[in-house]
Each structure stands twice: as structure tokens, then as C-alpha cells.
Amino acid sequence: VQLQASGGGLVQPGGSLRLSCTTSGNIYTINSMGWYRRAPGKQRELVAEITNGGSTNYADSVKGRFTISVDNAKNTVYLQMNSLESEDTAVYYCNTQLRSDYGFLYDYWGQGTLVTVSS
């Protein structure tokens, strides 16, 4: 299973970016897809996730500014980030959680894409 993320870059405060991440390989059942981030000097944190049922969960710090969505046909998850703030500067990692026929969950990670919010 491989995850390929893209869409990071440099943006000014108040600007927008859209991240995308495509999962490929031996995909059995996707339980959820999501985005995490690690800011300099901080631990990795959940940004947003979406389950195979369409339920979403956001970090409080991004609610109302970020939107997660998924294209199931393409096994691709997106993160639309609006009203970006300097505190959003981080390496963003996409995550896909697969569920086996026996109910076991397996997490897979993308390579990380850097988002820098600066004037």
C-alpha cells in the first residue's frame, strides 16, 4: 500500500491551499482517511479525518477553516485549507486506515508535504 501526497507549499496568511493524497496498492477495505501534521517542536496531531461512512472529525483549531473530502473512486482524500494562519505551518501527513476481513486495522502513511504560512 502506497500513499502519495501533494499540494503543499508557501502561502501568505489568509490564503488557501488544497492537499491531496492518493492511496494505491493492495487496498482491501478503507476504514478511514485523514490528515495529521507536525509543527516544528511539537508532536504530531490529528487535523481531520473522514470515515468510510462519511463522518468527519476536525481538530478544534481548524474547524470552520479546513474541509476534508474523499473521492472513493480514486481512493483520494483532499484537505481544503482556507484562512491559513502561521500556526498552520507544519509537515502534513496523510493517513489511510485499512480494515482486514478479520477486523484488524492497519495504518499507512504518506511521505509528508510541507505547508508554510508566511508573509
Side-chain angles (χ1 to χ4, degrees):
V1 177
Q2 298 84 38
L3 279 69
Q4 181 65 49
S6 63
L10 173 64
V11 63
Q12 292 185 344
S16 299
L17 280 176
R18 189 176 84 150
L19 307 181
S20 63
C21 179
T22 299
T23 301
S24 61
N26 185 23
I27 303 171
Y28 23 104
T29 301
I30 293 178
N31 189 61
S32 67
M33 303 180 81
W35 292 91
Y36 290 70
R37 67 186 180 187
R38 177 180 283 127
K42 296 185 178 180
Q43 292 187 333
R44 186 175 63 190
E45 63 173 352
L46 172 69
V47 177
E49 63 182 350
I50 183 167
T51 69
N52 63 356
S55 298
T56 57
N57 180 37
Y58 294 91
D60 288 341
S61 60
V62 307
K63 285 181 180 177
R65 301 188 296 121
F66 291 10
T67 303
I68 190 169
S69 61
V70 64
D71 184 333
N72 292 315
K74 297 181 179 180
N75 292 323
T76 298
V77 62
Y78 303 95
L79 185 68
Q80 178 65 45
M81 304 184 293
N82 299 327
S83 302
L84 283 161
E85 305 168 352
S86 58
E87 291 77 14
D88 297 314
T89 295
V91 177
Y92 285 71
Y93 298 91
C94 56
N95 165 269
T96 293
Q97 187 178 77
L98 303 183
R99 186 178 70 248
S100 73
D101 290 341
Y102 298 97
F104 293 106
L105 300 177
Y106 300 89
D107 284 296
Y108 296 89
W109 298 90
Q111 80 279 16
T113 184
L114 177 63
V115 172
T116 303
V117 184
S118 176
S119 55

